[in-house]
Amino acid sequence: MKLKLLLAFSLCCFIRVNAQTTHSTPKGNLFIGGGDRSPELIQKLISTANLNKLDHIAILPMCSAEPDSAFYYIKTELQGACKNTVANLNFTQNNINNKIWLDSLKTAKLIFITGGDQSRFMKAVLNTPVYNAIHYAYENGSTISGAVPGRPL
């Protein structure tokens, strides 16, 4: 339980610190979920993100030791609740500057960070264009959500 609270706090700080340094009021939302996601929780997430039919969702599975599996499971849950496009943006050193992926991240109405090892995620994004794209999306109205790892994927 302490790990879950620490992760939730870390994710909030990750988003809020940059918002405070830009002196603007972010338009986005934070939605912290955890381990088992009920259909009701997924529906609340979709509602919070206020998705319209043309909006897309970006999944960032870099926390997981098995990013393809992490993407598959959250994509399946989300597609049970909405018909929006769901993109797997598994950023690595080889594609960290991929302009198309970065633009997709910036314009995603919902960004979901999968569960797993948060240090793996921070190692992948800190001081990169991905970090900036997440903040840009949040400041411009995107919902940032993440799983608190109860079990590694």
Side-chain angles (χ1 to χ4, degrees), residues 57 98 106 111-112 136 150:
I57 300 167
N98 183 314
K106 284 181 178 179
I111 298 171
F112 190 92
Y136 177 89

Side-chain angles (χ1 to χ4, degrees), residues 4 9-10 27 33 43 48 51 56 59 67 71-72 88 97 99-100 110 117 125 128 138 140-141 143 146 148 153:
K4 289 181 181 184
F9 178 74
S10 297
K27 297 176 186 170
Q43 194 56 56
T48 300
L51 296 171
H56 66 277
I59 307 300
F71 170 73
Y72 171 80
N88 182 5
N97 293 305
K99 182 172 175 16
I100 294 170
L110 171 59
D117 182 348
V125 304
T128 71
Y138 175 67
N140 288 283
T143 295
V148 178
L153 293 174

